[in-house]
Amino acid sequence: RQRPDVDPDRVLVIGQSFGGASTVALAAMNPPGVQAAINFAGGSGGDPKGRPQNPCSQAALDRTYAQYGAQARVPMLWIYTENDMFFGPQLPRQWHATFTQAGARPALCSSRRMGKTGIPSSRVFRRSGSQRCQSFWTPTGSRRQAVPEALSH
């Protein structure tokens, strides 16, 4: 709130992996000024080598996302890849369903395969491999807009 180059009433929160889960947690607090949140492959307990696509404490994560979903009113975009070796393709869909059933309405984007572990990054915004995902973050006729159109309403 003290930086002159930041509008404290127009904040976008972004996090990846545990930071993505933390972004969802923060958004569930509905803090003043936060207009939207982007969760890149958010979760916890993933081990792509020891337990690929099978994170520990799956039930706890499901309960946690249900609690956050009951509280969150900040628009969100969740981005996961089809070859996510930390959480797999099904768990993010399950967490999204749990979050949505609890009352929140995040947009879920499952992007094409990326790299060896499926970790999405800023490359998602620079190079669209998925028309489904591109429609979330680019307004009609523009590929320069980085803030998801779905979150701008």
Side-chain angles (χ1 to χ4, degrees):
R1 296 214 171 260
Q2 306 214 357
R3 290 183 54 163
D5 59 331
V6 175
D7 182 346
D9 296 320
R10 296 177 49 91
V11 176
L12 172 66
V13 181
I14 301 172
Q16 179 179 353
S17 191
F18 191 76
S22 298
T23 294
V24 174
L26 176 66
M29 295 177 187
N30 303 300
V34 173
Q35 299 298 306
I38 301 176
N39 161 20
F40 282 104
S44 169
D47 181 354
K49 292 182 181 176
R51 292 183 323 278
Q53 300 187 0
N54 185 23
C56 60
S57 303
Q58 293 178 28
L61 282 168
D62 206 47
R63 285 191 305 273
T64 300
Y65 279 125
Q67 291 170 350
Y68 294 157
Q71 300 168 1
R73 298 299 168 255
V74 172
M76 283 186 235
L77 175 62
W78 291 16
I79 300 174
Y80 291 83
T81 59
E82 291 296 322
N83 67 319
D84 185 319
M85 297 305 290
F86 288 81
F87 309 118
Q90 289 307 113
L91 283 174
R93 290 182 184 105
Q94 176 183 320
W95 297 333
H96 178 265
T98 298
F99 195 78
T100 302
Q101 289 166 0
R105 297 288 179 254
L108 175 65
C109 175
S110 294
S111 182
R112 64 175 173 75
R113 300 174 62 84
M114 284 192 181
K116 294 179 182 176
T117 60
I119 297 298
S121 67
S122 60
R123 291 183 314 171
V124 171
F125 290 105
R126 292 194 312 262
R127 194 174 50 161
S128 174
S130 167
Q131 291 298 323
R132 286 181 298 173
C133 295
Q134 182 181 349
S135 67
F136 284 121
W137 66 73
T138 56
T140 305
S142 171
R143 295 196 68 178
R144 295 185 184 161
Q145 181 74 21
V147 177
E149 182 179 13
L151 303 180
S152 66
H153 302 292

